[in-house]
Amino acid sequence: MRRPIIAGNWKMNKTVPEAVRLAKQIKLLVEEDARERVEVVLCPPFTALHAVGEVLQDSAVKLGAQNVHDQPKGAYTGEVSVPMLKDLGCEYVILGHSERRAYFGETDEMVNRKAKAALSRDLGVIICVGETLHEKREGRTEEVVRTQVRGALAGLEPARPEQLVIAYEPVWAIGTGENATGSEANDVIAMIRRLVGELLGADTAEAVRIQYGGSVKPENIKSFLTQSDIDGALVGGASLEAASFAEIVKG
Ligand code: 13P
């Protein structure tokens, strides 16, 4: 059985004191769920990782980052490496978020290099894929998502398949309040799982968690978690408020 994984992507929000306060509140509300039932990951901005990591030190709630460079160190001004994230206690890193693809030119090839760098150093990855509204309207969802998944997973050999998480986040559903329906998301996610099977083998496909992301709220989380292939959620806006994120964790 796959353990569901709910991750909060805080994006570029929260100063250190704000982040510490939010992490403390979330920890209080979801600690039992995180110990028993569901993997919970908080992904604050880089600047708050250390402080939030301290809050989560004795907690089952895990720490994640929102991006990483593929090289372990060197002359890459402004970048952060896998060993640096591991050093802070990160267990996951989000890769290829549509905002990084759209605003920072991140490609499938870059996502692939980052995924290899992370997994080879025992850092879990949450790889984001998803089509734009334009692509959806042209009926190209499957083609676009397949290309992204193939690109991201090329040559990947995850030693621990539970460290490979894929987030299906239709771009048109991010921050818009307009979510995909549970069955719409499940169809794409089941397709992704079949593709993972072709690329990495049936055992890996069975173990890999695939989340839905895009306007997930307490009111709609059930419609996703009750689907056969959806193993959790990547939550943006609703993860910035402890009560709503906790409600989502509780399903
Ligand atoms: P929202 O939940 O705000 O739509 O954001 C989704 C997202 O981008 C998570 O990575």
Side-chain angles (χ1 to χ4, degrees):
M1 260 317 263
R2 296 183 294 269
R3 189 176 170 84
I5 175 165
I6 306 279
N9 175 9
W10 294 3
K11 306 191 180 183
M12 196 174 73
N13 293 290
K14 307 292 176 187
T15 61
V16 172
E18 288 167 352
V20 165
R21 197 174 321 127
L22 178 59
K24 282 183 178 164
Q25 289 169 340
I26 290 174
K27 185 173 84 164
L28 262 164
L29 293 170
V30 308
E31 186 64 31
E32 205 176 305
D33 307 87
R35 281 192 198 287
E36 288 171 9
R37 212 177 39 78
V38 52
E39 207 170 344
V40 181
V41 187
L42 305 185
C43 304
F46 286 136
T47 46
L49 281 173
H50 184 258
V52 170
E54 290 197 328
V55 173
L56 301 181
Q57 219 162 34
D58 300 315
S59 164
V61 178
K62 296 178 175 174
L63 186 66
Q66 300 173 18
N67 183 30
V68 74
H69 194 271
D70 63 87
Q71 293 300 305
K73 63 177 180 178
Y76 301 100
T77 301
E79 293 293 314
V80 167
S81 73
V82 172
M84 291 170 183
L85 296 183
K86 293 281 296 178
D87 188 38
L88 292 174
C90 287
E91 294 185 54
Y92 285 97
V93 61
I94 298 171
L95 297 179
H97 191 280
S98 63
E99 288 148 17
R100 295 217 55 86
R101 295 176 189 260
Y103 308 140
F104 305 101
E106 206 153 297
T107 63
D108 292 329
E109 204 214 340
M110 289 162 76
V111 174
N112 180 245
R113 284 202 302 268
K114 292 176 182 200
K116 284 177 176 159
L119 290 171
S120 69
R121 287 185 159 80
D122 197 35
L123 178 65
V125 295
I126 300 175
I127 296 175
C128 303
V129 298
E131 81 286 3
T132 63
L133 183 58
H134 181 68
E135 291 161 342
K136 177 184 162 71
R137 286 194 175 139
E138 288 186 329
R140 295 176 51 217
T141 297
E142 180 163 339
E143 168 212 324
V144 167
V145 171
R146 285 179 75 88
T147 302
Q148 290 173 334
V149 172
R150 275 183 189 283
L153 301 190
L156 220 65
E157 288 174 14
R160 295 167 54 199
E162 67 277 11
Q163 285 189 319
L164 173 58
V165 179
I166 299 172
Y168 169 54
E169 296 206 305
V171 179
W172 49 269
I174 295 178
T176 59
E178 191 187 335
N179 56 279
T181 67
S183 73
E184 246 178 341
N186 196 57
D187 286 349
V188 178
I189 286 174
M191 182 275 289
I192 294 173
R193 195 177 305 285
R194 286 193 297 275
L195 179 57
V196 173
E198 288 168 32
L199 298 169
L200 305 179
D203 290 350
T204 302
E206 198 46 47
V208 159
R209 272 91 48 88
I210 311 181
Q211 302 171 306
Y212 168 77
S215 297
V216 171
K217 300 182 270 293
E219 304 83 63
N220 62 24
I221 183 65
K222 265 203 183 62
S223 67
F224 299 110
L225 295 185
T226 48
Q227 300 289 333
S228 60
D229 278 84
I230 304 183
D231 304 315
L234 183 55
V235 187
S239 73
L240 295 173
E241 212 262 307
S244 61
F245 186 66
E247 272 191 69
I248 290 169
V249 168
K250 288 170 196 304

